[in-house]
Amino acid sequence: MANLIEVPVFADVVNQKLNRALKIVTLSTDYTTEVGDITLMGTEAHFPKLNRVVNMAKVTTNGTELTAGTVSLADTVAPITMYAGNAVIYDRDVAAVKGSLIDRMAEQFADECAVVMDDALTATIRSETTKKSALASATAVTETELYNAYALFGDSVNVSDFAGIAISSHLLPSFYAMPSFVDATKTVTMAGNGIVQDNVIGYWLGIPVILDNSLYNTTTKEAQVVFVKKGALGHIMQKQPTIEPERQATFLRTAIVASEMFATKVMDTDGIVLCSKTIA
């Protein structure tokens, strides 16, 4: 049992299952490949962010020289979070179920990682979002309230610009009661709405709506909604989780410790609207 797991294979399985388990993080832009290795960054991650260039377009006048805008990057910093889990596998259990046990362990670790990462990104949204819209109830949302939040984007509401809408599962009954979500006679209603597939419950005004219970605020006991535009959220992950098996021969078992590092950041405050009963 010395070679109970193959570390590269186990890490690949965790990564594959993690990608399927993530919820609100799927609305975030992955900057992992655009920066250095997060394991070498210390306590802070640096996200690349392009500052808005002024004087890019203006009305011209004959004989007047154009004023050039300057392209520059901002150093956007976020703290790095590390999470880990460990488990012990006894030799006789491995012999009984063969490789399926290792696969289930990888799946469980990926599920736990996904919860931690989704929770962390939601905490970042709550602390850094500046556009907020009030809900009347802690456990329901109305169609009008969604339209009010949507209106905060002004005239920049092309459906292709949105990554999605994330909601707490406490708000499912509200969506199932909305004409704009379930009434097939409405031109904005998508076929198949209400049938949950890959955490997507359907489309509201063409924007995908996903379920994520990290959007239930356990402190205020309130269910929340967040509108996210593409590029408004960012995250950096460890390219491969760290897997460390430790053989404990005298116990006839192997301990497996798995860990991963990540960072999350609001990259564009104009691209996020958070809806909640309590808004600070």
Side-chain angles (χ1 to χ4, degrees):
M1 296 294 177
N3 298 318
L4 180 62
I5 67 167
E6 295 183 31
V7 171
V9 175
F10 189 84
D12 284 341
V13 173
V14 170
N15 262 359
Q16 291 170 9
K17 295 183 182 297
L18 177 60
N19 289 332
R20 291 197 295 268
L22 290 169
K23 296 181 177 68
I24 196 169
V25 172
T26 61
L27 305 184
S28 171
T29 300
D30 188 354
Y31 287 90
T32 302
T33 60
E34 298 183 30
V35 298
D37 189 341
I38 193 172
T39 62
L40 305 177
M41 290 183 183
T43 60
E44 293 181 333
H46 297 261
F47 288 79
K49 182 180 179 182
L50 182 68
N51 288 324
R52 185 168 185 81
V53 182
V54 297
N55 296 319
M56 283 289 284
K58 61 175 59 177
V59 176
T60 63
T61 302
N62 289 343
T64 301
E65 184 179 7
L66 294 175
T67 301
T70 301
V71 177
S72 62
L73 291 175
D75 186 17
T76 306
V77 180
I80 293 175
T81 300
M82 183 176 187
Y83 55 93
N86 67 303
V88 172
I89 310 176
Y90 283 90
D91 294 353
R92 64 180 181 181
D93 293 330
V94 175
V97 296
K98 310 242 182 246
S100 62
L101 179 62
I102 305 300
D103 192 63
R104 288 202 296 272
M105 282 185 58
E107 183 173 3
Q108 289 178 14
F109 179 67
D111 287 343
E112 293 295 325
C113 290
V115 170
V116 173
M117 290 186 66
D118 285 329
D119 284 346
L121 184 57
T122 296
T124 299
I125 291 170
R126 288 178 180 140
S127 64
E128 298 182 11
T129 296
T130 57
K131 286 185 176 180
K132 299 181 181 181
S133 188
L135 303 180
S137 170
T139 56
V141 60
T142 67
E143 201 168 52
T144 298
E145 288 169 339
L146 286 182
Y147 281 121
N148 289 341
Y150 187 66
L152 293 180
F153 292 105
D155 63 356
S156 182
V157 288
N158 291 311
V159 66
S160 60
D161 293 337
F162 285 89
I165 301 170
I167 69 170
S168 163
S169 65
H170 295 75
L171 301 178
L172 265 178
S174 297
F175 273 79
Y176 289 151
M178 289 182 190
S180 62
F181 190 72
V182 296
D183 187 348
T185 65
K186 304 289 185 182
T187 59
V188 296
T189 302
M190 303 284 284
N193 273 2
I195 300 173
V196 183
Q197 296 183 15
D198 297 325
N199 301 313
V200 177
I201 69 169
Y203 296 79
W204 186 78
L205 300 190
I207 305 170
V209 182
I210 70 167
L211 289 176
D212 189 339
N213 274 349
S214 68
L215 283 165
Y216 181 74
N217 192 324
T218 56
T219 301
T220 61
K221 308 299 181 186
E222 296 173 7
Q224 297 174 311
V225 178
V226 63
F227 288 72
V228 181
K229 281 196 167 186
K230 294 175 182 176
L233 292 172
H235 69 272
I236 299 172
M237 298 171 57
Q238 194 171 322
K239 292 181 176 65
Q240 286 278 10
T242 301
I243 309 297
E244 300 177 87
E246 177 190 12
R247 181 62 183 163
Q248 299 174 350
T250 56
F251 291 98
L252 298 177
R253 68 189 184 189
T254 299
I256 299 176
V257 179
S259 62
E260 188 147 359
M261 304 171 73
F262 69 95
T264 60
K265 188 68 179 175
V266 170
M267 303 297 291
D268 180 9
T269 54
D270 286 334
I272 302 175
V273 172
L274 179 65
C275 309
S276 183
K277 186 175 188 297
T278 301
I279 56 175

